[in-house]
């Protein structure tokens, strides 16, 4: 059971979590928590402010976050001496954070390793508080530090889990308390290198943590508790009429997550697929809602398009070479440049004379372009966005392309790519029209509500 930031943001939200966990107690839950809403942002921000030399403001940010944790404690725990003891522990953690910020300010250097050490405190605090709240309410509970089993490489800020080691260690650390009848509470997002240095799996990584733990322990189910009713037909912040999907496939969920549906971290589905464990996305503010089930083989639905995702911050690279035209090895030459610079390519579309592709990580863009220029003409367009239309049944439905382009008749589509699996169609548009594009597509496919059992309207 993974609870995201808004699900633990204050005492009321935490009480909801306790109620939800209590109901599942019979099923031996492992509770994976994010930091309280906004905590990771604040922690990272204070480090950056310190780097700019503004220690006063860095400390002010940290003090506000400290106060939020203290308020949470005071509203959640009743035993006064317990509260005092916990406040002392939390203050100590914030003193350490301030010392770290001082170091950053003095050195004028901020590494991803330091950022991970700082960011990890959010999850450490939220889990500590929930564990005490559960214990005070009479639950048998044990907190297991994720860093004892979530072993990763040392690519700080985006560390890759070592699945073999994690499987061993997670079983060794988590199963004994579970077998002793305890609820286990642990941190999402954070891990550790083999040498014991704290890492993180990347922003939004708690979903991924939960899936990794679920797979390592052969869980019955991986529950992702968040602030919406499930996986919706679009981000409700963009398309307010978005509806909930009752069930979707692993493949559909993976595509959606990869192309920007923030409700799931892009890697969440992988571990679940390997062990064929259903992932259920649920709303912690409305636990009675049945959520979205993500499974290997959902019942066939006649809905061709199931959901629309979008992702900003995309850069398009056009590569053209008349010299290489039709020559074998052209694509391989191109991709080896991206491989060398550890930059993954999202969409590709080719014509006889050119290859267009998109990337979202531009940290090595300059070197990539200069190496491509050794054999091709290269142009780069930034501030683009991908819009992705997803549905297993798209491949067998006639007329989808017409409807997509009809809906986008007034929008300049820069690039088109139909996934080889044919369960998605991705388009590139200018970033400033992406909201409009998603809204128009949503209207085309989901407004008015299709008369299908798959969709469920979300209560306001
Ligand atoms: P958490 O803190 O629980 O991990 P996130 O903010 O990371 O929550 O993810 C939930 C948010 O994802 C929702 O509030 C919603 O705005 C956004 N979202 C984007 N696309 C979708 C979608 N297709 N279905 C549901 N939510 C989506
Ligand atoms: N707290 C982390 C973040 O904000 C991880 C997560 O919430 O999934 O990125
Ligand atoms: Mg999230």
């Amino acid at each position: 059971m993974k609870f995201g930031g808004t699900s633990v943001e204050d005492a009321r939200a935490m009480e909801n979590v306790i109620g939800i966990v209590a109901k599942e107690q019979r099923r031996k839950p492992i509770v994976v928590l994010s930091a309280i809403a906004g905590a990771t942002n604040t922690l990272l921000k204070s480090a950056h402010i310190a780097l700019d030399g503004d220690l006063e403001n860095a400390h002010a940010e940290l003090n506000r976050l400290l106060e939020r944790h203290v308020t949470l404690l005071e509203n959640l725990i009743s035993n006064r001496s317990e509260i005092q003891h916990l406040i002392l522990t939390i203050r100590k953690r914030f003193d350490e954070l301030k010392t770290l910020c001082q170091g950053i300010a003095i050195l004028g250097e901020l590494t991803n390793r330091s950022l991970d050490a700082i960011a990890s405190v959010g999850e450490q605090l939220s889990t500590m508080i929930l564990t005490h709240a559960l214990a005070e309410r009479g639950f048998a509970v044990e907190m297991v530090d994720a860093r004892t089993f979530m072993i990763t490489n040392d690519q700080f800020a985006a560390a890759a889990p070592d699945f073999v080691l994690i499987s061993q260690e997670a079983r060794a650390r988590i199963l004994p308390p579970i077998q002793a009848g305890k609820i286990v509470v642990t941190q999402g997002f954070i891990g550790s290198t083999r040498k014991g240095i704290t890492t993180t799996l990347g922003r939004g990584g708690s979903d991924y943590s939960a899936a990794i733990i679920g797979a390592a322990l052969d869980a019955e189910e991986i529950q992702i508790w968040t602030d919406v009713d499930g996986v919706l037909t679009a981000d409700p912040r963009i398309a307010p009429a978005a509806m909930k999907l009752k069930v979707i496939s692993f493949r559909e969920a993976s595509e959606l997550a990869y192309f920007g549906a923030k409700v799931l971290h892009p890697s969440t589905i992988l571990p679940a697929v390997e062990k064929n464990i259903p992932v259920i996305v649920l709303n912690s503010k409305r636990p009675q809602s049945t959520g979205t089930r993500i499974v290997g083989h959902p019942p066939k639905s006649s809905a061709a398009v199931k959901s629309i995702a979008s992702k900003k911050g995309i850069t398009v690279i056009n590569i053209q070479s008349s010299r290489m035209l039709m020559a074998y090895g052209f694509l391989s030459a191109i991709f080896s440049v991206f491989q060398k610079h550890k930059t993954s390519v999202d969409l590709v579309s080719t014509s006889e004379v050119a290859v267009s592709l998109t990337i979202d990580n531009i940290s090595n863009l300059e070197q990539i372009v200069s190496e491509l220029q050794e054999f091709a003409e290269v142009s780069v367009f930034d501030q683009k966005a991908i819009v992705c239309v997803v549905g297993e049944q798209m491949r067998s439905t006639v007329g989808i392309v017409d409807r997509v382009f009809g809906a986008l008749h007034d929008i300049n589509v820069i690039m088109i790519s139909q996934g080889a699996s044919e369960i998605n169609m991705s388009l590139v548009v200018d970033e400033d029209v992406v909201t409009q594009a998603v809204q128009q597509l949503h209207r085309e496919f989901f407004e008015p509500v299709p008369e299908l059992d798959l969709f469920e309207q979300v209560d306001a």
Side-chain angles (χ1 to χ4, degrees):
M1 307 179 77
K2 176 263 173 174
F3 294 88
T6 45
S7 301
V8 291
E9 65 189 342
D10 54 21
R12 206 161 162 212
M14 283 259 191
E15 290 284 9
N16 274 343
V17 170
I18 293 169
I20 293 166
V21 173
K23 277 206 177 132
E24 294 281 37
Q25 209 185 350
R26 192 182 45 80
R27 295 173 77 192
K28 304 185 172 29
I30 296 155
V31 180
V32 180
L33 289 196
S34 290
I36 65 172
T40 314
N41 282 346
T42 303
L43 289 165
L44 295 174
K45 186 173 164 195
S46 61
H48 284 287
I49 300 177
L51 179 66
D52 290 342
D54 189 354
L55 259 187
E56 203 177 310
N57 259 319
H59 285 185
E61 289 284 343
L62 290 173
N63 284 337
R64 276 195 290 276
L65 188 60
L66 166 65
E67 281 317 311
R68 274 187 69 201
H69 283 92
V70 169
T71 309
L72 169 58
L73 259 183
E74 285 175 337
N75 291 328
L76 194 64
I77 308 250
S78 7
N79 184 313
R80 279 315 307 173
S81 66
E82 177 89 343
I83 294 178
Q84 287 316 321
H85 166 73
L86 287 171
I87 290 180
L88 273 181
T89 313
I90 294 178
R91 282 196 190 285
K92 239 194 193 153
R93 297 314 310 271
F94 276 88
D95 286 343
E96 287 162 17
L97 284 170
K98 287 177 187 165
T99 310
L100 273 170
C101 282
Q102 260 153 11
I104 292 164
I106 293 167
L107 291 171
E109 184 187 60
L110 178 55
T111 60
N112 281 338
R113 176 173 164 166
S114 311
L115 282 170
D116 278 358
I118 292 169
S120 74
V121 174
E123 270 70 9
Q124 293 176 52
L125 295 178
S126 65
T127 46
M128 181 179 91
I129 293 171
L130 180 75
T131 305
H132 280 86
L134 281 165
E136 187 174 65
R137 285 158 181 76
F139 293 95
V141 53
E142 184 167 324
M143 184 167 95
V144 178
D145 191 319
R147 293 168 297 179
T148 61
F149 62 83
M150 188 61 72
I151 310 301
T152 70
N153 68 5
D154 62 359
Q155 203 187 325
F156 296 101
D162 180 329
F163 294 103
V164 176
L165 268 182
I166 291 169
S167 172
Q168 283 168 18
E169 296 300 322
R171 287 180 166 271
R173 312 280 170 173
I174 297 176
L175 288 183
I178 289 284
Q179 275 149 4
K182 294 181 183 167
I183 295 169
V184 165
V185 176
T186 189
Q187 301 85 19
F189 182 53
I190 74 175
S192 156
T193 65
R194 283 178 199 223
K195 290 188 182 152
I197 302 160
T198 298
T199 56
T200 70
L201 304 181
R203 295 307 308 270
S206 294
D207 303 330
Y208 191 25
S209 300
I212 296 169
I213 296 167
L217 302 182
D218 291 304
E220 223 170 83
E221 193 170 282
I222 296 161
Q223 300 180 350
I224 305 290
W225 291 86
T226 182
D227 61 352
V228 284
D229 277 0
V231 178
L232 309 183
T233 48
D235 186 339
R237 290 173 211 216
I238 299 178
M243 288 169 300
K244 190 191 91 178
L245 292 148
K246 289 184 188 165
V247 58
I248 55 170
S249 69
F250 284 140
R251 297 193 326 154
E252 290 168 329
S254 288
E255 298 285 339
L256 287 171
Y258 190 77
F259 288 110
K262 192 186 168 217
V263 65
L264 289 174
H265 179 276
S267 305
T268 312
I269 300 298
L270 281 172
V273 172
E274 296 223 328
K275 293 279 179 84
N276 196 22
I277 303 173
V279 177
I280 327 287
V281 180
L282 294 143
N283 189 344
S284 69
K285 306 269 149 106
R286 297 188 344 109
Q288 69 283 7
S289 169
T290 50
T292 299
R293 289 183 70 79
I294 307 171
V295 295
H297 300 284
K300 267 217 166 100
S301 157
S302 47
V305 172
K306 292 197 187 147
S307 186
I308 304 157
S310 62
K311 185 161 133 181
K312 289 187 179 175
I314 299 295
T315 296
V316 173
I317 306 177
N318 283 342
I319 304 152
Q320 201 161 341
S321 169
S322 41
R323 186 158 56 87
M324 294 289 278
L325 175 64
M326 306 281 284
Y328 54 80
F330 183 39
L331 287 179
S332 139
I334 292 174
F335 284 109
S336 63
V337 174
F338 288 89
Q339 185 184 9
K340 181 174 162 200
H341 294 287
K342 296 197 171 100
T343 300
S344 67
V345 171
D346 287 339
L347 300 182
V348 187
S349 102
T350 58
S351 74
E352 256 180 327
V353 290
V355 176
S356 297
L357 45 79
T358 69
I359 58 171
D360 63 3
N361 171 7
I362 53 165
S363 35
N364 295 323
L365 184 61
E366 234 172 85
Q367 296 99 299
I368 289 172
V369 170
S370 90
E371 286 180 33
L372 290 170
Q373 277 168 338
E374 288 170 17
F375 59 89
E377 288 153 42
V378 182
S379 34
V380 175
F381 305 91
D382 62 358
Q383 294 182 6
K384 304 296 171 212
I386 294 177
V387 179
C388 182
V389 177
V390 174
E392 292 264 9
Q393 242 45 56
M394 272 169 57
R395 78 190 110 171
S396 53
T397 311
V398 179
I400 296 292
V401 177
D402 271 5
R403 289 182 68 188
V404 167
F405 286 98
L408 299 180
H409 65 95
D410 54 350
I411 288 175
N412 181 27
V413 176
I414 297 158
M415 197 178 141
I416 307 162
S417 160
Q418 178 155 23
S421 61
E422 298 180 42
I423 75 161
N424 80 58
M425 187 177 169
S426 302
L427 312 163
V428 178
V429 299
D430 281 325
E431 216 170 54
D432 55 4
V433 294
V434 65
T435 300
Q436 187 195 341
V438 172
Q439 287 168 345
Q440 289 177 197
L441 285 167
H442 198 269
R443 243 174 266 137
E444 171 64 31
F445 288 102
F446 305 113
E447 300 167 40
V449 183
E451 300 264 327
L452 290 173
D453 199 32
L454 176 68
F455 303 103
E456 204 170 88
Q457 237 150 340
V458 176
D459 295 337

